[in-house]
Amino acid sequence: MRQLGTSVPETGNSMTITSLLRGSATALCAGALLAGCGSSSTPTTTASGTAAPATNSASPSPGGNPALSVALVPSDLPAGATGFTQVSDGLLGTTPHTDARVFANSTNTTRIEVDLAVDTGTGAATTDYTAYNASASKQVATQSGTSTPSIGSQANEYVGTDTNGHSIVSLAFVQGTVICVVTMVSSSGTVDATVGEAVAGNQAQKIIAANL
């Protein structure tokens, strides 16, 4: 979120996605986990829509960051996102125990961002979820539908278009101590919300397997 969520500014045919959880320091940094928002890892695109190299496109070493141990990789993506490659990865600002990872199709016209924050406990995650859910909702400027998918302990999904008229689905959920926001946006066609839900479901399963 440059404003707290995915935005896709458009110049000609280019598309740039900014981290869902890197903007709006006021909204996101309400709790200790959310402090220090703002990142330099935003991927950019060329006029042709081809992703330009991001300075930190390689996945950082897991080290002591539990978010990296459960972050999705291209092989974890479901049908509907087959062939997507990872185009960027980085912390949410300088906040520890977070990860923001972006995947794109071969033409860079559809992108999926998965943002993770491992909180200090399940209670803290439930409390902090409110800010992440609000940011997910904000990304869908014109909402044609909302739902509460059966993912994690609570989840909210928003479908519609962003401020540029691009088709978008943004889904927030909390699983154990982990808060996640999955956003899928396309500059050419309508996003299939079931694909975004499947990405979120795969992410939830990975978190469960890691006991976070």
Side-chain angles (χ1 to χ4, degrees), residues 20 78 112-113 129-130 132-161 167-174 180-185 190-202:
L20 268 180
I112 299 169
E113 178 166 343
Y129 174 74
T130 301
Y132 286 80
N133 179 38
S135 71
S137 175
K138 188 176 182 181
Q139 301 322 299
V140 188
T142 303
Q143 297 182 7
S144 59
T146 62
S147 62
T148 54
S150 297
I151 302 172
S153 58
Q154 58 180 312
N156 297 87
E157 181 180 48
Y158 307 92
V159 178
T161 55
S167 177
I168 185 172
V169 56
S170 192
L171 189 160
F173 72 89
V174 60
C180 179
V181 177
V182 174
T183 297
M184 185 173 182
V185 62
T190 301
V191 167
D192 184 348
T194 63
V195 176
E197 293 164 6
V199 172
N202 288 2

Side-chain angles (χ1 to χ4, degrees), residues 12 26 28 43 79 81 84 86 90 96 108 112 118-119 124 135 151-152 166 175 190 193-194 201:
T26 300
L28 279 186
F84 278 54
Q86 183 178 318
N108 199 40
I112 299 169
V118 181
D119 219 322
S135 71
I151 302 172
H166 296 143
Q175 174 65 56
T190 301
T194 63

